[in-house]
Amino acid sequence: MNVDYLLKFYWPHGRVEVGELELSDESPDNPGLTFRCIATVLIVLFAILSTASIRATVKLADQRNVIFDRLGTADGLSQAVVTAITQDTNGFVWIGTQEGLNRFDGYHFETFLHSENVAGTISHHFIRSLLSDSKGILWVGTDSGLNRYNEVDKTFDVFYLNSESHTGGLENAVYSLVEDSKQRMWIGTEIGLTVRSPSGLFTHYHYNDKDPDSIGPGSVRAIYEDEEKSLWVGTCLLYTSPSPRDS
C-alpha cells in the first residue's frame, strides 16, 4: 500500500510546500522515514514561530513610529490645561479644561462657558469630568455641580449634590463619573460618593467614623467597575500640617 503525503503551509505572502513523502506498509520498520517526518514537523513549527516573530516585530516598529497631532489654543481650544475627554454618540469629541468645555467636530471648536446672568449655561468654567452615557446623554462634572447637556438648545441642567448647599461652591465639585453595567451613574464628589439610578433618583454615601462599613474619608477622585461587577472607589484625603503656633 502506497500513500502520497504532501505537507503545505502558508507564509503571509505566498504558499510554501515543505515536501512530499511516500509511505508504505513497511514504514514502522523504516527509521529513516520517521526521521524525515519529524524533520518536516520541526520545519513547520519553525516557520510558524518565525512568522509570529516577524509580525510582532512589525507591530513594535509601528508603535515606535506613532505620530501625534496637536491641538491647542491657537486652534480654538479655550484653555491649554485639559482635564477630561470623551466622545458622544454623534462623534463629537468633548474636551474639558480649567477654562471651559469644548466640543470638537474634527475641524472647529465650540466653547461653553459659565455666565452668571445667563440661564442654561454650564455651572462652572472648571471642568473636572465627562461622561457620555449609554443613552447618549452628556454629563459634565465641574468645580460646582453636575451638568446634563441638552443637545436641542445647547443648554445645561444643573444638579447640586450637596444636600446642604444648592448654590454651588467647592462642596459641590464633581471629580469623577462612571456608568456601571446596570446603567447607574456613579458620581465622585468633594464630600463622598453619589449614585444616580436610571429613573433619576440620587443616593448619597458619606464617611461616618462610627460606621466601619461606610465609605472612606475624603473626596472621591476615581471610580471603576471590574469584570465581576464590583465597584472600586478611590478617595483623596488631604492633611494640613499644623502651623508653628499650633505645634
Side-chain angles (χ1 to χ4, degrees):
M1 177 181 68
N2 293 326
V3 178
D4 290 332
Y5 178 76
L6 182 63
L7 179 63
K8 302 178 182 179
F9 65 92
Y10 290 86
W11 288 91
H13 303 288
R15 185 180 67 187
V16 177
E17 298 182 2
V18 174
E20 184 173 303
L21 301 177
E22 183 176 323
L23 306 180
S24 67
D25 50 357
E26 299 177 353
S27 58
D29 300 324
N30 189 341
L33 179 60
T34 302
F35 175 79
R36 287 195 297 273
C37 291
I38 295 175
T40 301
V41 172
L42 290 176
I43 291 174
V44 174
L45 291 175
F46 176 78
I48 294 173
L49 293 175
S50 298
T51 303
S53 177
I54 292 172
R55 290 176 179 174
T57 303
V58 170
K59 289 182 179 180
L60 180 60
D62 290 341
Q63 292 175 0
R64 291 177 178 174
N65 295 327
V66 173
I67 298 175
F68 293 90
D69 291 330
R70 299 180 182 180
L71 297 170
T73 54
D75 303 291
L77 190 66
S78 63
Q79 202 248 1
V81 180
V82 175
T83 56
I85 299 176
T86 194
Q87 186 175 31
D88 64 21
T89 54
N90 294 318
F92 293 110
V93 176
W94 294 84
I95 304 171
T97 72
Q98 292 182 349
E99 291 289 342
L101 176 65
N102 302 262
R103 189 180 75 171
F104 185 59
D105 62 4
Y107 300 95
H108 307 97
F109 285 100
E110 182 176 2
T111 302
F112 300 85
L113 299 170
H114 171 67
S115 178
E116 290 286 350
N117 302 318
V118 180
T121 62
I122 198 166
S123 62
H124 200 278
H125 58 268
F126 197 129
I127 310 303
R128 292 285 188 174
S129 52
L130 294 169
L131 170 67
S132 180
D133 68 17
S134 57
K135 296 180 180 179
I137 299 173
L138 179 73
W139 297 88
V140 185
T142 73
D143 249 10
S144 181
L146 174 68
N147 296 255
R148 179 176 58 196
Y149 178 64
N150 300 309
E151 185 178 356
V152 176
D153 56 5
K154 296 184 178 180
T155 60
F156 295 86
D157 298 323
V158 181
F159 302 87
Y160 294 116
L161 304 179
N162 184 348
S163 58
E164 298 179 357
S165 173
H166 296 279
T167 59
L170 186 60
E171 63 272 12
N172 277 291
V174 175
Y175 296 115
S176 52
L177 295 169
V178 169
E179 184 180 32
D180 68 12
S181 54
K182 297 181 179 179
Q183 296 184 333
R184 296 173 299 186
M185 182 170 62
W186 294 89
I187 307 160
T189 73
E190 178 67 26
I191 58 174
L193 180 68
T194 296
V195 59
R196 182 182 185 273
S197 69
S199 63
L201 177 65
F202 288 94
T203 303
H204 307 280
Y205 300 91
H206 303 297
Y207 169 68
N208 184 349
D209 58 359
K210 298 180 181 180
D211 181 4
D213 294 327
S214 69
I215 192 171
S219 59
V220 174
R221 300 300 182 103
I223 307 171
Y224 176 72
E225 183 187 38
D226 64 21
E227 295 179 354
E228 297 180 353
K229 313 305 179 187
S230 296
L231 193 73
W232 296 78
V233 180
T235 62
C236 176
L237 181 61
L238 300 179
Y239 292 94
T240 57
S241 300
S243 61
R245 66 178 62 183
D246 294 332
S247 58

